[in-house]
């Protein structure tokens, strides 16, 4: 979820300035962002209806993924462990003059980029006009229509509204659906009465202030996420189990905590997320995403000097399911020796699922470079390439002679959050591990979600039109909500297949838009195992679209339930997908 955001409006005035020192950023006082008096008094000349319409379109592409559709600072891509997006409707933002807002959009600061080269002067003024009229121009446009089936043999109906900022949905005993939001709140509802919502836990019960992983096994709830430390500059990972006694009183037990490591003050702190119980029920797979975009230095204002990804990030761990109070150190050798490290080299495997043979599958979000997004069959002791390879393509920053210039390198999009500070000539980039053959992602032969940028020409192409496969999904799709029909409960052509949602929409993403205007959709995955390759081939089909930030999904009783992230105030929805092959 790496869309360039107007993060510089944090609390009205951002408190840090940017310098290109191998990705580092230096702290300054809030008052250091000095807007010249001659600029403060400038008035916006572009306030007609057409300019406001253009401003709204620009906001949707460049700002909404972090700041949210209504500008309340609640976009999912902005919920990293470092800086948080501002509420653009706050009095501190709305009280600034046209000139002040124009100056900050133009010049940028720290992780708020400069839009001087990316957007014309008129476009920047159109953004100012839209922000100044944000409430009026968005209040009538946030109502969501139902998602649209793209094939005749499914139906989609509204199941229920959910609380804001939801990140996970799963099934529990006695025919309940459960869901959690990123703030650590846990809810459940009976499948036959979705409006009978119960709040089961709060962050004070389990201590995970940034919750991103949840699942259930034999009536036991398992939760994973992060806790802020060191005045919010650092973090520790945390996994907790929760049991309820006969009186329905919750009892919490810590499975593990990690040693402290640094956050980055960027959108790239992916944290501890997806959980999956092993087929034999003895272990728990847990993802720890990267703390960088592509392996660059991220020192969080100097708090963690020269820190890139560490032993506790960009990996999948395997923890005994009955473990209590483990401490996971930031020590790769120890983690391997103890058998805790299952696989490495995965940037952000935000979703895991087992197929019917018990094989662990993961969908992975790549960085801001135009590399494709991987789907892996994850095997023990394999290394899957990050940060040296993503989407089957070598990351350029590992080569000391690379020149990071969007005019020369078409894979660099100037609207990326990592541009320009985090794409730089980097002769100290870590060397590839010797003697390690990287595991390969699954080739997608389309017909959908198979766009890619040609390595030689930089042109965007469609793999299925060329009769080739691509690794695996169109760049910047953010595949989430991976599920498999392992009990063959789905009918017709869906029987035994996989499903995944794409979180990003090309119409709302400056990174994804060059490739496609599709997204926020549901994909049918037809996987075939190839003995000679010891890997899968994939055909992907779009079967529904029109979701709003679909973040997870669960199969239950032959129905698919797709849940949306939702904004800070509005919340999202659960949509029920019914499969009807007779149509």
């Amino acid at each position: 979820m790496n869309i360039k955001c107007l993060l510089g409006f944090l609390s009205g005035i951002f408190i840090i300035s940017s310098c290109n020192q191998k990705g580092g950023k230096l702290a300054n006082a809030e008052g250091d962002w000095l807007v010249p008096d001659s600029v403060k008094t400038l008035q916006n000349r572009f306030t007609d209806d057409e300019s406001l319409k253009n401003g709204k379109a620009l906001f949707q592409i460049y700002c909404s993924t972090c700041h949210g559709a209504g500008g309340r600072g609640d976009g999912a891509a902005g919920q990293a462990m470092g800086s948080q997006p501002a509420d653009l409707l706050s009095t501190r933002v709305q009280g600034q003059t046209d000139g002040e807002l124009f100056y900050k959009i133009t010049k940028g600061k720290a992780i708020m980029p400069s839009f001087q080269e990316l957007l014309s002067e008129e476009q920047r003024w159109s953004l100012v006009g839209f922000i100044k009229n944000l409430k009026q121009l968005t209040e009538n446009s946030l109502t969501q229509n139902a998602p649209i089936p793209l094939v005749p043999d499914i139906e989609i109906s509204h199941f229920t509204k959910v609380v804001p900022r939801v990140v996970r949905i799963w099934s529990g005993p006695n025919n309940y659906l459960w869901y959690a939001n990123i703030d650590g709140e846990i809810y459940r509802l009976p499948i036959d009465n979705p409006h009978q919502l119960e709040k089961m836990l709060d962050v004070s019960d389990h201590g995970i202030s940034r919750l991103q992983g949840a699942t259930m096994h034999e009536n036991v709830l398992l939760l994973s996420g992060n806790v802020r430390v060191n005045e919010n500059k650092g973090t520790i990972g945390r996994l907790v189990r929760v049991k309820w006694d006969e009186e329905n009183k919750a009892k919490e037990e810590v499975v593990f905590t990690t040693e402290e490591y640094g956050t980055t003050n960027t959108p790239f702190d992916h944290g501890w997320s997806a959980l999956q119980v092993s087929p034999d029920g003895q272990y728990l797979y847990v993802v720890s995403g990267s703390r960088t975009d592509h392996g660059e230095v991220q020192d969080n204002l100097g708090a963690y000097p020269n820190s890139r990804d560490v032993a506790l990030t960009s990996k999948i761990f395997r923890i005994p399911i009955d473990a209590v109070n483990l401490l996971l150190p930031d020590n790769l050798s120890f983690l391997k020796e103890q058998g805790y490290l299952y696989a490495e080299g995965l940037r952000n495997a935000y979703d895991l699922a087992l197929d019917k043979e018990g094989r662990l599958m993961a969908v992975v979000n790549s960085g801001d470079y135009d590399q494709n997004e991987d789907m892996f069959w994850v095997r023990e002791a394999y290394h899957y390439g990050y940060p040296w390879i993503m989407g089957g393509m070598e990351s350029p920053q590992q080569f000391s002679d690379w020149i990071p210039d969007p005019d020369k390198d078409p894979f660099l999009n100037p609207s990326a959050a990592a541009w320009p500070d985090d794409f730089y000539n980097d002769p100290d980039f870590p060397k590839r591990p010797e003697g390690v053959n990287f595991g390969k992602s699954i080739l997608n032969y389309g017909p959908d979600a198979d766009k890619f940028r040609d390595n030689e020409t930089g042109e965007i192409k469609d793999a299925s039109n060329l009769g080739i496969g691509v690794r695996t999904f169109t760049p910047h799709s953010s595949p989430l909500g991976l599920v498999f029909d392992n009990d063959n409960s789905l009918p017709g052509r869906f029987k035994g297949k996989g499903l995944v949602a794409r979180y990003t929409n090309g119409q709302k993403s400056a990174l994804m838009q060059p490739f496609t205007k599709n997204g926020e959709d549901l994909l049918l995955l037809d996987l075939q195992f190839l003995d000679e390759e010891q890997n899968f081939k994939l055909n992907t089909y779009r079967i529904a679209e029109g979701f709003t930030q679909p973040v997870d999904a669960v199969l239950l009783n032959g129905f698919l339930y797709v849940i949306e992230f939702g904004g800070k105030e509005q919340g999202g929805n659960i949509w029920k997908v019914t499969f009807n092959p007779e149509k």
Side-chain angles (χ1 to χ4, degrees), residues 267-527:
F268 310 131
D269 280 306
H270 296 105
W272 292 77
S273 57
L275 295 171
Q276 176 64 55
V277 178
S278 65
D280 60 9
Q282 299 300 304
Y283 295 94
L284 190 65
Y285 302 112
V286 54
V287 169
S288 177
S290 71
R291 64 179 297 278
T292 73
D293 181 69
H294 51 270
E296 76 282 1
V297 169
Q298 292 287 1
D299 63 7
N300 197 345
L301 315 180
Y304 298 89
N306 302 313
S307 188
R308 299 178 187 261
D309 273 290
V310 298
L312 290 168
T313 63
S314 62
K315 297 173 179 66
I316 295 178
F317 293 87
R318 183 178 61 185
I319 307 297
I321 201 164
D322 57 356
V324 179
N325 284 326
L326 293 179
L327 175 64
L328 301 186
D330 190 22
N331 182 310
L332 189 61
S333 296
F334 177 89
L335 295 170
K336 287 182 176 180
E337 289 168 2
Q338 297 299 313
Y340 298 143
L341 180 61
Y342 185 73
E344 54 189 316
L346 301 105
R347 180 181 181 270
N348 183 28
Y350 194 80
D351 240 320
L352 302 175
L354 297 174
D355 73 359
K356 64 180 61 180
E357 302 298 328
R359 293 170 290 210
L360 184 66
M361 313 295 284
V363 284
V364 180
N365 176 223
S366 292
D368 276 6
Y369 204 64
D370 280 350
Q371 292 152 314
N372 283 64
E373 314 240 278
D374 293 303
M375 181 173 178
F376 290 112
W377 169 25
V378 182
R379 288 171 274 185
E380 185 177 2
Y382 272 57
H383 194 305
Y384 290 93
Y386 175 85
W388 298 278
I389 291 180
M390 286 180 277
M393 180 182 178
E394 292 184 315
S395 299
Q397 202 155 323
Q398 66 187 293
F399 304 111
S400 59
D401 59 350
W402 177 60
I403 300 174
D405 182 351
D407 291 332
K408 298 178 180 179
D409 187 341
F411 287 79
L412 272 178
N413 190 323
S415 65
W419 173 261
D421 286 352
D422 301 322
F423 285 118
Y424 55 91
N425 187 269
D426 192 359
D428 296 323
F429 198 90
K431 302 302 181 185
R432 294 171 64 145
E434 294 183 5
V436 175
N437 294 319
F438 294 144
K440 294 181 179 179
S441 55
I442 294 168
L443 287 173
N444 178 18
Y445 289 85
D448 295 321
D450 61 341
K451 299 289 197 299
F452 69 100
R453 196 179 285 281
D454 186 89
N455 283 4
E456 299 297 327
T457 66
E459 296 177 359
I460 293 174
K461 296 182 178 180
D462 186 300
S464 52
N465 286 347
L466 299 173
I468 61 174
V470 65
R471 303 188 186 275
T472 303
F473 301 115
T474 300
H476 314 298
S477 296
S478 297
L480 305 170
L482 178 66
V483 297
F484 289 98
D485 178 33
N486 291 334
D487 57 3
N488 293 325
S489 63
L490 299 184
R493 65 189 178 114
F494 306 105
K495 185 176 182 178
K497 300 297 194 298
L499 296 155
V500 74
R502 289 195 293 181
Y503 175 89
T504 315
N505 188 326
Q507 298 182 67
K508 302 177 183 178
S509 164
L511 294 186
M512 193 176 176
Q513 192 171 87
F515 295 89
T516 179
K517 292 185 178 180
N518 295 326
E520 290 184 312
D521 50 11
L522 183 63
L523 306 177
L524 176 65
L525 307 178
D526 186 0
L527 286 158

Side-chain angles (χ1 to χ4, degrees), residues 225 227 236-240 254-260 272 312 324-329:
V227 181
I236 60 174
R238 182 176 174 90
L239 196 153
V240 174
V254 175
V255 177
F256 72 72
T257 55
T258 74
E259 284 188 343
E260 174 189 337
W272 292 77
L312 290 168
V324 179
N325 284 326
L326 293 179
L327 175 64
L328 301 186

Side-chain angles (χ1 to χ4, degrees), residues 59 63-65 67-72 74-75 130 134 138 141-142 548-549:
F59 182 88
C63 318
S64 64
T65 307
H67 283 282
R72 300 313 301 255
D74 53 4
F130 178 76
L134 190 59
T138 58
S141 62
L142 295 178
T548 298
Q549 297 180 320

